[in-house]
Amino acid sequence: MGTNADSTPWLSLFREHPGLERCVPHVSLGEFPTPITHCASLGTALGVKGLYIKRDDWSGSQYGGNKVRKLEFLLGKALQDGAKEVLTFGFTGSNHALATAFYAREIGLRSISMFLPQPNSWNLRRNLLLGYHCGAELHEYSSRRTLALGTIYQTARHTMFSGRKPTFIPPGGSAPPGIVGIINAAFELRDQIRAGVMAKPDVVYVAVGSMGTAVGLTIGFEAAELDIRVAPVRVIDATLANAERMQTLARETVTYLRSLDPNFPTCHRAQMEYTLREGFFGAHYALYTKEGMEAVRLLREAEGIQLDGTYSGKAFAALLGDARAGNLTEKTVLFWNTFNSRDPWRTMPDVDYHRLPHRFHRYFEEPVQPLDAE
Ligand SMILES: *Cc1c(COP(=O)(O)O)cnc(C)c1O
């Protein structure tokens, strides 16, 4: 771990745009580059020319997933701003809120998680217990309105006790500073292609929640002059993730980067081009689908890689659907694995759920959703 001075030379983005290195706050938390796995026999079985997986599930030695890349920049900025506490938002099983709690603690910051309810699952239970173990203050609200009021209240309360307003981190970490971490990932992939780790993929499949990962990769591939199509698979309500909102986020991110380094390219295409893959979302956010769980099972059995039912399983189901329809026979395909596969729970002391705020007990007392057998 370190700050700008000792850690940044490894970042592909900064090697390419040294102007950014001087002014973009960053703290090293993860382990990069993440490896790429070649799934030769699964690719053959599916009739795909080349099938590869970008192992962002190993982006950290203790806790991985796509949020680590964003948090290196978001928490870097929080440190630079002198923050003592960070406050973030998500649904109750949020991997983002957990990653924030986990890495905030690593760098000596306290964290507050503001949740809205979601369908029950084992992953949600594990995330809540680990978040609690990491010292996160956990709150859940029944509606957006009470969440907004609760945020005002908690902000006032924490400001009074710690003498400083908590630093807000948006849902999923998908604000321009966080997305810079994903843009770096695109440059990282380019370096790996140049080093012969894999041939340039024709298409990258990725799950879309708060949109930052898909937007960041699209900007990054254009900035790195890589002709790679992003297939963004929507796994959250269409009011939250849609083409228009992705364009806005892309525009804001490019504007942010160009305000720091005018040499960063304008990336016109990335500000326009979003066609979300529909049809894999199912009925509700975090409600697992049959196709998604089949995709989870298939990858576990073929490669020993664990996906989740909320995001990565649904995205991999889209890839499977396209492969089986014969649309990928001539394609080199990269699946961007956004889910954490490290096991920080292994070393966690048993946390009794009764120690969580009362409101969360029901998740441990009511059954998990039917498709979440384990
Ligand atoms: C957050 C998350 C995503 C979605 O990434 P966004 O940048 O929010 O679109 C995908 N997969 C997993 C496992 C996640 O936790």
Side-chain angles (χ1 to χ4, degrees):
M1 190 188 310
T3 49
N4 274 353
D6 58 333
S7 66
T8 47
W10 300 316
L11 290 190
S12 307
L13 173 66
F14 290 158
R15 273 206 303 277
E16 181 78 15
H17 293 282
L20 288 173
E21 181 169 0
R22 268 174 270 115
C23 52
V24 177
H26 171 260
V27 57
S28 178
L29 306 169
E31 294 189 325
F32 302 106
T34 57
I36 292 174
T37 298
H38 182 196
C39 308
S41 53
L42 181 60
T44 308
L46 292 170
V48 178
K49 188 174 131 200
L51 179 61
Y52 296 83
I53 300 185
K54 179 67 167 158
R55 303 300 303 272
D56 269 15
D57 53 310
W58 284 342
S59 61
S61 62
Q62 316 258 347
Y63 188 80
N66 62 338
K67 303 310 182 301
V68 181
R69 293 187 184 273
K70 300 176 183 181
L71 286 168
E72 290 205 336
F73 290 85
L74 292 163
L75 291 178
K77 187 161 189 312
L79 280 182
Q80 191 186 55
D81 296 345
K84 292 181 187 159
E85 299 176 301
V86 291
L87 181 150
T88 197
F89 307 89
F91 293 99
T92 303
S94 173
N95 300 318
H96 160 72
L98 173 58
T100 302
F102 189 93
Y103 285 106
R105 189 183 63 158
E106 293 258 307
I107 58 172
L109 303 181
R110 283 190 304 272
S111 67
I112 308 151
S113 300
M114 307 292 281
F115 293 131
L116 285 171
Q118 70 162 76
N120 201 5
S121 65
W122 286 102
N123 191 56
L124 176 150
R125 292 180 181 177
R126 279 193 299 266
N127 282 4
L128 273 180
L129 294 175
L130 186 55
Y132 178 84
H133 175 68
C134 291
E137 190 180 296
L138 308 171
H139 301 282
E140 189 191 66
Y141 302 88
S142 52
S143 69
R144 290 190 179 274
R145 198 182 67 86
T146 51
L147 172 74
L149 293 172
T151 303
I152 293 169
Y153 173 71
Q154 292 303 339
T155 304
R157 194 172 74 85
H158 279 267
T159 306
M160 197 165 82
F161 281 112
S162 74
R164 235 197 120 79
K165 192 170 167 266
T167 295
F168 281 26
I169 295 183
S174 286
I179 294 173
V180 173
I182 308 291
I183 295 173
N184 173 63
F187 282 89
E188 177 182 304
L189 177 63
R190 188 187 66 174
D191 289 346
Q192 289 176 309
I193 293 167
R194 284 184 176 166
V197 177
M198 71 175 290
K200 182 186 76 61
D202 298 295
V203 54
V204 168
Y205 284 79
V206 64
V208 175
S210 65
M211 307 176 291
T213 307
V215 164
L217 290 177
T218 310
I219 295 171
F221 292 153
E222 186 172 352
E225 295 176 3
L226 284 172
D227 179 23
I228 300 174
R229 188 167 64 82
V230 175
V233 183
R234 180 170 68 80
V235 302
I236 199 169
D237 205 88
T239 55
L240 297 175
N242 53 59
E244 203 175 305
R245 296 195 78 196
M246 291 177 88
Q247 288 165 2
T248 305
L249 197 54
R251 210 157 42 235
E252 288 169 358
T253 304
V254 173
T255 304
Y256 169 74
L257 276 174
R258 284 176 54 80
S259 75
L260 297 171
D261 178 2
N263 290 323
F264 192 82
T266 49
C267 299
H268 284 301
R269 257 189 307 122
Q271 298 187 44
M272 322 263 296
E273 257 181 27
Y274 292 97
T275 310
L276 283 145
R277 292 301 311 275
E278 307 285 351
F280 297 91
F281 171 54
H284 198 284
Y285 170 76
L287 195 59
Y288 300 174
T289 60
K290 247 175 64 239
E291 296 80 6
M293 295 320 277
E294 190 228 326
V296 168
R297 227 171 1 258
L298 191 146
L299 201 62
R300 193 199 306 123
E301 281 162 16
E303 299 288 340
I305 296 174
Q306 183 64 44
L307 302 180
D308 72 302
T310 300
Y311 293 96
S312 54
K314 289 178 179 177
F316 197 66
L319 187 159
L320 286 180
D322 289 352
R324 287 172 179 155
N327 297 336
L328 301 176
T329 43
E330 299 301 315
K331 306 283 189 213
T332 301
V333 177
L334 180 64
F335 178 70
W336 204 280
N337 188 3
T338 47
F339 189 50
N340 161 63
S341 72
R342 301 291 189 201
D343 188 4
W345 297 271
R346 203 170 24 94
T347 55
M348 183 175 76
D350 262 342
V351 178
D352 178 356
Y353 75 82
H354 291 98
R355 286 164 62 193
L356 268 56
H358 187 261
R359 169 148 197 142
F360 295 101
H361 296 186
R362 68 183 171 89
Y363 286 109
F364 298 85
E365 290 159 2
E366 294 169 3
V368 297
Q369 58 185 295
L371 286 177
D372 194 18
E374 223 168 292

